[in-house]
Amino acid sequence: MNNNAFSVNESHLFDIQELGDNRGALAVVESMKNIPFDIKRVFYIYGTAKGIRRGFHAHHKTRQVLISVCGSCKVHLDNTKRKKEVLLDSPSVGLLLEPNDWHEMYDFSPDCVLLVMASELYQAEDYIRDYDQFIEVYGL
Ligand code: TYD
């Protein structure tokens, strides 16, 4: 896939095709096809306690795609210029997070399984966890 061919809407959301038949649904994610980077790491967040808000960071380099494969949650996005709230409640919708998207996830349903695909391996140094530092790095 040519990266330019990948398009997200105003809220960074994009559709993931459902390959359903009478047995049920199936969805596919593939590097450089419907995910605009080589997937190096996958993790998933589940069993999130009521009232929990998590994330609170941006990245230097890592791009991510989030899919709520079960249940729902909300994501607060802030790229220093615009803030948005996005609802993830479908396994056929992806949310693309660029490195400069400060993100916080909240309002997890008890059954929520939030799948995250990342363009980089885990490196604590790639995280910007201080909001003032985030503004210093990405503001202007
Ligand atoms: P953390 O970044 O605090 O989660 P969130 O941003 O959703 O609030 O991650 C929780 C712990 O898991 C933290 O000790 C770092 C560790 N971790 C890894 O070791 N590898 C990973 O890929 C991720 C995402 C987290």
Side-chain angles (χ1 to χ4, degrees), residues 41 43 45 53-57 103 105 122 127 129:
R41 178 166 55 103
F43 58 95
I45 294 170
R53 196 170 176 111
R54 60 183 303 166
F56 297 96
H57 63 258
H103 51 284
M105 293 84 82
Y122 178 75
Y127 283 65
R129 293 190 182 273

Side-chain angles (χ1 to χ4, degrees), residues 5 14 29 39 47 61 64 68 81 87 93 131:
F14 61 97
V29 285
I39 300 165
K61 194 168 171 208
Q64 296 176 102
S68 183
K81 284 149 198 91
L87 173 67
V93 172
Y131 190 80

Side-chain angles (χ1 to χ4, degrees), residues 49-116:
K50 204 172 165 85
I52 287 295
R53 196 170 176 111
R54 60 183 303 166
F56 297 96
H57 63 258
H59 290 277
H60 291 289
K61 194 168 171 208
T62 301
R63 302 176 81 196
Q64 296 176 102
V65 167
L66 277 56
I67 302 172
S68 183
V69 293
C70 180
S72 64
C73 69
K74 291 180 185 155
V75 186
H76 165 83
L77 296 173
D78 175 352
N79 68 1
T80 77
K81 284 149 198 91
R82 277 193 319 180
K83 295 182 185 182
K84 276 190 184 296
E85 308 294 328
V86 175
L87 173 67
L88 290 180
D89 63 353
S90 166
S92 56
V93 172
L95 171 66
L96 176 66
L97 297 184
E98 297 294 355
N100 66 333
D101 286 318
W102 179 272
H103 51 284
E104 299 171 17
M105 293 84 82
Y106 61 103
D107 273 3
F108 288 84
S109 64
D111 60 345
C112 181
V113 180
L114 183 63
L115 179 70
V116 183

